[in-house]
Amino acid sequence: MDLWFTEQHTKDVCFSIRVEKQIHSEQSKYQRIDVFESKEFGRFLTIDGKMMLTEKDEFIYHEMIVHVPMAVNPGVKNVLVIGGGDGGTIRELTRYGTIEKIDLVEVDKRVLEVSRAYFPEVSEKLSDKRISFYFEDGLRFIREKENEYDLIIVDSTDPFGPGEGLFTKEFYGSCCNALKENGILVNQQECPYYADYSKFMKRAHQCMQEFFPVCRIYQAQIPSYPSGNWVFGFASKGLNPVSDLRDSEWNKLGLKTRYYNTDVHVGSFAIPNYIRDILADTTEQQEF
Amino acid sequence: MDLWFTEQHTKDVCFSIRVEKQIHSEQSKYQRIDVFESKEFGRFLTIDGKMMLTEKDEFIYHEMIVHVPMAVNPGVKNVLVIGGGDGGTIRELTRYGTIEKIDLVEVDKRVLEVSRAYFPEVSEKLSDKRISFYFEDGLRFIREKENEYDLIIVDSTDPFGPGEGLFTKEFYGSCCNALKENGILVNQQECPYYADYSKFMKRAHQCMQEFFPVCRIYQAQIPSYPSGNWVFGFASKGLNPVSDLRDSEWNKLGLKTRYYNTDVHVGSFAIPNYIRDILADTTEQQEF
């Protein structure tokens, strides 16, 4: 038996994982959700045929989207997570006893239910008492919020389909209003190498720059994602992700992490020239 | 017409590139050499079916294997390159007017000839007058050298086949003898994520530690290589790759690079915990 899951990273590049078996498949109201079992990456979750997470390397994405902002502002109390129904971002957030309240806004409840059924180690903290669940559109949810959150994490799918509104100027403006003075916004910004993805990185970065005085990107190496290199955005009203890093404070917490450490934190903000050039190039600037 | 080149990154993971046409194929005395034309990666060179370089992302590998040591010791005059017959490492080295002499030891002359025929932008500096060519085995070549080089770059194929001897204790001991007091050894150490590759990273690191007081690894993100994340080793008799970085001196040279910059230099030495753990784990230590 020779069964392969293949994702087209571009129309001319494919990444394939040998599958032991498909263990779940459904068309939810919003998207197609599948779960597979594999030797190399363990169980993995795809949405509309695109890799969302694998048991083997999900720690990289989830640690980097959470611990980077938390090590810059350990005083975070109120958090908004948009997307992230699988629970991985929640799992990392709940390790901070200082966080008081987490609003999780996930448009598709079935992502949570599927993660609970098949990824117990990813979803285990979705039962944490500090979480309030909102199964609705993130763009609409955030419109009414003002000066409410210390941290917003946009843990979205790719900006094709339901995640599209989370890559618009309106959305980042609303995030800015919803954040307090010391607020930080972190989002996933796709892959910087292939042009089909990097155009979204560039668009997100340009939109965020309109609202936030501090606007940077940082990288993490995630083997199951296109090109293996992924970019996150970090925006704030003042806190600098490198010079305001509270490294000794974070290290004193004694959190055991498998990817993140405070050296990696600083290193992840060192951006290769070709990626800097994409972000600096304004020739394709347009209204979003 | 639907033609794909596929490389098995592990027995359960494949990476495929759509090919316009195969433009060269031969079995040399040592290995099978192929050249393909593709839209996404431009022309690319494979050896024994493994990706060696693509026109689109070769700059990442070649800049990182050369500029990292050169920015730590700008006084480098005599260089030994083992492998690297394609000429990409040479191209970056020849940008330094201060380098006086480069010995290129490539076991397979056909790699040079194929690169000259099909990759003019990679091989263009193979005509530089400072280069002496030695078409022989690197392991044997270096045995007789003592206190001769400021920098040794091991730009080898994977440690299966002809490249195997370059991952042994004997080889690193010879490198140590061949280097001067301020000498630096840099080598490619495979991918840290998949176990089939990271065992070679670990082996190389352990061997190098036996001879060199300073022994570090650094990373670069190369989309056409397994997992997209690649590791280089940096070993020296005293120079530290981070605290001895001569960043302002290097920046004054005004070299235009597409990946490397002195921030990336420092950042590339920030190693995620799971990779640190692989290197620290001594349970599988053995004689090489």
Side-chain angles (χ1 to χ4, degrees):
Chain A
M1 169 75 161
D2 213 22
L3 181 65
W4 293 80
F5 162 83
T6 294
E7 180 176 347
Q8 274 195 262
H9 286 174
T10 78
K11 73 182 191 358
D12 300 318
V13 174
C14 283
F15 183 71
S16 308
I17 300 172
R18 190 194 297 274
V19 164
E20 299 295 305
K21 59 180 175 180
Q22 182 174 26
I23 52 182
H24 181 80
S25 184
E26 72 173 82
Q27 180 69 43
S28 77
K29 191 175 157 196
Y30 301 95
Q31 51 208 350
R32 179 170 168 170
I33 304 171
D34 291 272
V35 180
F36 300 91
E37 188 85 51
S38 77
K39 274 201 179 126
E40 190 66 55
F41 284 99
R43 281 194 182 169
F44 62 92
L45 172 72
T46 66
I47 289 185
D48 290 338
K50 295 197 159 283
M51 182 61 77
M52 289 298 114
L53 64 86
T54 82
E55 279 183 336
K56 292 283 173 73
D57 70 351
E58 58 84 15
F59 68 98
I60 303 173
Y61 179 94
H62 292 126
E63 288 185 8
M64 288 300 279
I65 207 168
V66 167
H67 301 303
V68 168
M70 289 303 297
V72 174
N73 182 8
V76 163
K77 287 186 173 55
N78 288 339
V79 184
L80 170 62
V81 177
I82 294 180
D86 56 69
T89 296
I90 292 290
R91 180 193 63 205
E92 296 303 313
L93 283 169
T94 55
R95 302 175 73 185
Y96 294 89
T98 46
I99 290 177
E100 295 171 357
K101 188 175 176 300
I102 304 172
D103 286 345
L104 178 67
V105 182
E106 165 63 64
V107 71
D108 192 350
K109 194 177 183 175
R110 287 298 301 151
V111 175
L112 250 97
E113 291 165 348
V114 167
S115 187
R116 275 192 163 132
Y118 298 106
F119 297 91
E121 287 176 17
V122 179
S123 60
E124 60 180 357
K125 298 298 180 187
L126 285 169
S127 55
D128 192 285
K129 293 287 176 279
R130 292 168 286 180
I131 310 168
S132 303
F133 296 92
Y134 300 88
F135 298 106
E136 54 184 280
D137 178 54
L139 185 61
R140 201 176 310 173
F141 178 89
I142 203 169
R143 270 190 200 130
E144 303 144 28
K145 303 291 174 187
E146 208 162 316
N147 197 31
E148 193 162 332
Y149 299 106
D150 305 300
L151 172 60
I152 297 175
I153 295 180
V154 188
D155 179 6
S156 66
T157 53
D158 297 313
F160 333 107
E164 206 171 344
L166 307 180
F167 277 72
T168 61
K169 203 184 271 190
E170 187 209 333
F171 175 68
Y172 296 114
S174 299
C175 286
C176 190
N177 287 334
L179 282 170
K180 295 184 186 170
E181 198 49 37
N182 258 343
I184 297 172
L185 168 65
V186 167
N187 66 349
Q188 74 85 2
Q189 286 192 5
E190 307 286 306
C191 132
Y193 183 75
Y194 296 121
D196 285 351
Y197 296 85
S198 68
K199 69 182 178 192
F200 292 109
M201 169 188 78
K202 188 176 169 178
R203 179 194 288 187
H205 192 72
Q206 286 176 349
C207 290
M208 287 160 84
Q209 276 182 317
E210 299 223 1
F211 300 101
F212 294 93
V214 176
C215 199
R216 297 278 296 274
I217 61 165
Y218 63 101
Q219 302 179 97
Q221 284 70 63
I222 305 170
S224 65
Y225 281 5
S227 90
N229 194 25
W230 213 246
V231 164
F232 299 91
F234 179 107
S236 84
K237 300 185 180 182
L239 287 170
N240 181 294
V242 177
S243 58
D244 290 321
L245 166 63
R246 311 270 273 273
D247 48 356
S248 57
E249 207 169 321
W250 190 86
N251 285 310
K252 267 187 213 135
L253 294 174
L255 297 179
K256 195 168 159 41
T257 45
R258 292 165 63 200
Y259 187 88
Y260 179 86
N261 58 55
T262 47
D263 288 343
V264 164
H265 179 122
V266 175
S268 71
F269 285 91
I271 305 300
N273 291 349
Y274 86 91
I275 303 175
R276 285 186 184 175
D277 289 347
I278 295 170
L279 295 180
D281 171 25
T282 54
T283 52
E284 282 170 40
Q285 209 155 21
Q286 48 182 281
E287 279 303 307
F288 305 115
Chain B
M1 170 73 161
D2 212 22
L3 181 64
W4 292 80
F5 162 82
T6 295
E7 181 177 347
Q8 274 195 262
H9 286 175
T10 77
K11 74 183 191 359
D12 300 318
V13 174
C14 281
F15 183 71
S16 306
I17 300 173
R18 189 194 297 275
V19 164
E20 300 295 306
K21 60 181 175 181
Q22 182 173 26
I23 53 183
H24 181 80
S25 184
E26 71 174 82
Q27 180 69 44
S28 77
K29 191 177 157 196
Y30 301 96
Q31 50 209 350
R32 178 168 168 170
I33 305 171
D34 290 90
V35 180
F36 300 90
E37 188 86 51
S38 77
K39 274 200 179 128
E40 190 65 56
F41 284 99
R43 279 192 184 171
F44 62 90
L45 172 72
T46 65
I47 289 185
D48 289 337
K50 297 198 159 280
M51 181 61 78
M52 288 298 114
L53 64 85
T54 83
E55 278 183 337
K56 292 284 174 71
D57 70 350
E58 58 85 15
F59 69 98
I60 303 172
Y61 179 94
H62 292 125
E63 289 186 7
M64 288 299 280
I65 207 168
V66 168
H67 301 305
V68 167
M70 288 305 295
V72 173
N73 183 9
V76 163
K77 286 186 173 58
N78 288 339
V79 185
L80 169 62
V81 178
I82 295 179
D86 54 70
T89 296
I90 292 291
R91 179 191 65 205
E92 296 304 312
L93 281 168
T94 56
R95 302 175 73 186
Y96 295 87
T98 46
I99 290 177
E100 295 171 356
K101 187 175 177 301
I102 303 172
D103 287 345
L104 178 67
V105 182
E106 166 63 64
V107 71
D108 191 351
K109 193 177 184 176
R110 286 300 300 151
V111 175
L112 250 96
E113 291 165 347
V114 167
S115 186
R116 275 190 163 132
Y118 299 106
F119 297 90
E121 288 177 16
V122 179
S123 59
E124 59 180 357
K125 298 298 180 186
L126 285 169
S127 54
D128 193 284
K129 292 287 177 278
R130 292 168 285 180
I131 309 169
S132 304
F133 295 92
Y134 300 88
F135 298 106
E136 53 184 279
D137 178 53
L139 184 61
R140 201 176 311 174
F141 178 89
I142 203 169
R143 269 189 201 133
E144 302 144 29
K145 304 291 172 185
E146 206 162 319
N147 196 31
E148 193 162 333
Y149 299 105
D150 304 299
L151 171 61
I152 298 174
I153 295 180
V154 188
D155 180 5
S156 65
T157 53
D158 297 312
F160 335 104
E164 206 172 344
L166 306 180
F167 278 72
T168 59
K169 203 184 271 190
E170 186 209 334
F171 175 68
Y172 296 114
S174 300
C175 285
C176 190
N177 287 334
L179 281 170
K180 293 183 187 172
E181 197 49 38
N182 259 343
I184 297 173
L185 168 66
V186 167
N187 66 349
Q188 74 85 5
Q189 285 192 6
E190 308 285 308
C191 133
Y193 183 76
Y194 297 120
D196 284 352
Y197 296 84
S198 68
K199 69 181 179 194
F200 291 109
M201 168 188 78
K202 187 175 169 178
R203 179 194 292 187
H205 191 73
Q206 286 175 348
C207 290
M208 287 160 84
Q209 276 181 318
E210 299 222 3
F211 300 101
F212 294 93
V214 176
C215 199
R216 298 278 296 272
I217 62 165
Y218 63 101
Q219 302 178 99
Q221 284 70 63
I222 305 169
S224 65
Y225 281 4
S227 89
N229 194 24
W230 213 246
V231 165
F232 298 92
F234 179 108
S236 84
K237 300 185 180 182
L239 287 170
N240 181 295
V242 177
S243 58
D244 290 320
L245 167 63
R246 311 271 274 272
D247 47 356
S248 56
E249 206 169 321
W250 191 86
N251 285 310
K252 267 188 211 135
L253 294 174
L255 297 180
K256 196 168 156 42
T257 46
R258 293 166 63 200
Y259 187 89
Y260 179 85
N261 59 54
T262 47
D263 288 344
V264 163
H265 180 121
V266 176
S268 71
F269 285 91
I271 304 302
N273 291 349
Y274 86 91
I275 303 175
R276 285 185 185 175
D277 290 348
I278 294 170
L279 295 180
D281 172 25
T282 54
T283 52
E284 282 171 40
Q285 209 156 22
Q286 47 181 281
E287 280 301 308
F288 304 118

